[in-house]
Amino acid sequence: MPVTTVLGSIDTTRLGHTQPHEHLFCDLRGYLRPEHRQGHPIGLANYYRSRVDRDNAEDMVLDDVEAVADALEDYHRAGGGSIVDATPRGLGRSPETLLRIARRSRVNIIMGCGYYTQPFHPGSVHHDTEEDITNGIVADLVDGVDVGGTTVRAGIIGEIGMSSPTHPDEEKVLRAAARAQRLTGAALLIHPGRSPEAPLQHLGTVAAAGGDIERVVMSHIDRTLFDLDAMLAVADTGCVLEFDLFGSETSYYPQNPDVDLPNDGHRVHYIRELVDRGYGSQVAISEDVCRKTQLKPYGGEGYEHILRRVKPLMRVRGIRETDIEQITERTPARLLNRD
């Protein structure tokens, strides 16, 4: 049962603990206002402001190859086997850099494809047809990208970026991604708009385009839905609910100041409720590392936070080992397997 990694196909049995929504190399500076686009080195004096206010351009780009390579080694030592780099085109995706990191790492790296939210779209997306975009996503998955004579193929579609309200170009990209999913069997990772109605809206778009809802991962549940009934309504569609902001604990969320982000304990509580109601096979967890202040050299927690802290917390909170294995190993393996 093959999984497409940056270095080629592997069997699902080699994946191990897998975090299906991380970033190894990406650029979020498109979120910044012009007055914040001059970055400042990250140190003790500005770590907290950079992490919480998200207004330091130096923090908003992951471009430190050495730090990421070291972080993956820490992740491997903690028990990590695989990581999905959910960076699509327009968000700084770099197959060349992923290949460099993969050759140094003992961690399996799976590359994403598609496009992020409309402000990050390359100019061509507005003019491309839905068929053009579908063909481009399929080409990334099937033909891959040539990197100095080495073919690097994507192993998942996404993260496909959506907004609230949804931009017409984002709807076009999502429909194209659903069509590409149908053609290739790849899983589809969606970054939903920032409203409670967004996940079901996007799933309706995918279904109408012929996508396979059971192979859709709805990301960022923990900044989008804040009551169990809403989560259950999304779970009833058959998609995977991804709690992927583990390690992010703050009452100050610039992207949506009205939102109170849950802490890791609250995330585990929701997961326990979903497991107890029979949805354990539809849950995935990750950290969404995408900024320097999430890496240890810059004061952050690194990619192994779930392994070192969250999995023990899940056990303490009564989630069985078999359910933890389902969430961190078997469900990612099912999604990444395209056989």
Side-chain angles (χ1 to χ4, degrees):
M1 294 184 286
V3 173
T4 302
T5 77
V6 170
L7 295 179
S9 295
I10 63 170
D11 192 89
T12 54
T13 58
R14 293 176 53 193
L15 287 173
H17 172 96
T18 302
Q19 292 177 198
H21 194 129
E22 306 294 349
H23 300 274
L24 305 181
F25 194 89
C26 70
D27 188 345
L28 293 168
R29 288 175 293 186
Y31 278 126
L32 296 175
R33 296 195 299 270
E35 63 267 28
H36 293 144
R37 290 181 183 164
Q38 180 64 45
H40 305 282
I42 298 164
L44 290 175
N46 69 350
Y47 164 79
Y48 185 78
R49 173 175 176 167
S50 298
R51 177 85 184 237
V52 173
D53 294 348
R54 306 184 189 211
D55 62 0
N56 183 354
E58 179 64 21
D59 177 42
M60 298 292 282
V61 57
L62 272 185
D63 58 358
D64 189 333
V65 174
E66 294 300 321
V68 169
D70 289 345
L72 287 181
E73 187 59 28
D74 290 341
Y75 176 73
H76 182 267
R77 281 194 292 265
S82 305
I83 270 185
V84 173
D85 180 85
T87 310
R89 293 179 182 270
L91 197 61
R93 189 186 79 159
S94 174
E96 297 85 356
T97 303
L98 293 182
L99 184 61
R100 284 176 58 197
I101 295 172
R103 284 172 170 165
R104 292 181 49 182
S105 175
R106 292 180 287 175
V107 174
N108 304 307
I109 298 172
I110 295 93
M111 183 175 75
C113 63
Y115 297 97
Y116 194 53
T117 56
Q118 189 274 333
F120 292 83
H121 286 178
S124 60
V125 171
H126 179 68
H127 302 287
D128 284 346
T129 66
E130 186 176 316
E131 183 176 5
D132 291 333
I133 297 169
T134 299
N135 290 341
I137 294 173
V138 170
D140 266 358
L141 292 159
V142 176
D143 301 324
V145 179
D146 179 74
V147 178
T150 298
T151 300
V152 179
R153 294 181 178 86
I156 194 169
I157 302 169
E159 58 181 303
I160 300 299
M162 308 298 289
S163 303
S164 290
T166 303
H167 191 281
D169 287 347
E170 294 172 348
E171 283 287 326
K172 178 172 65 173
V173 168
L174 183 57
R175 291 193 304 269
R179 291 177 61 189
Q181 182 208 45
R182 185 174 71 244
L183 291 169
T184 64
L188 169 57
L189 189 67
I190 298 175
H191 165 107
R194 298 177 187 278
S195 71
E197 298 77 25
L200 288 176
Q201 174 193 336
H202 305 329
L203 291 168
T205 298
V206 171
D212 181 355
I213 298 299
E214 292 186 358
R215 294 186 60 73
V216 172
V217 181
M218 189 57 62
S219 304
H220 311 326
I221 290 296
D222 37 349
R223 62 88 162 135
T224 310
L225 302 178
F226 304 100
D227 67 82
L228 184 62
D229 287 342
M231 295 176 190
L232 291 171
V234 174
D236 280 338
T237 68
C239 78
V240 172
L241 282 68
E242 187 176 77
F243 295 80
D244 50 33
L245 299 179
F246 275 99
S248 295
E249 300 184 315
T250 178
S251 298
Y252 310 100
Y253 189 49
Q255 280 89 343
N256 191 347
D258 292 332
V259 162
D260 291 324
L261 286 183
N263 62 33
D264 285 357
H266 290 139
R267 293 179 177 106
V268 170
H269 168 76
Y270 284 130
I271 291 169
R272 168 71 188 271
E273 293 288 342
L274 290 166
V275 168
D276 287 348
R277 285 163 172 75
Y279 296 97
S281 64
Q282 291 174 241
V283 174
I285 61 175
S286 217
E287 299 175 35
D288 195 16
V289 171
C290 56
R291 296 182 292 133
K292 285 191 178 75
T293 50
Q294 292 171 278
L295 298 178
K296 286 192 286 187
Y298 299 92
E301 64 274 27
Y303 298 100
E304 78 271 23
H305 173 69
I306 284 175
L307 286 153
R308 294 195 184 281
R309 300 180 185 89
V310 177
K311 288 175 78 170
L313 181 63
M314 294 170 79
R315 297 181 185 107
V316 169
R317 299 293 173 88
I319 300 178
R320 297 174 301 177
E321 198 66 37
T322 54
D323 292 316
I324 295 173
E325 290 176 3
Q326 177 70 55
I327 291 166
T328 61
E329 297 183 30
R330 292 194 293 278
T331 292
R334 173 181 72 81
L335 293 166
L336 293 171
N337 171 31
R338 286 167 51 195
D339 198 10

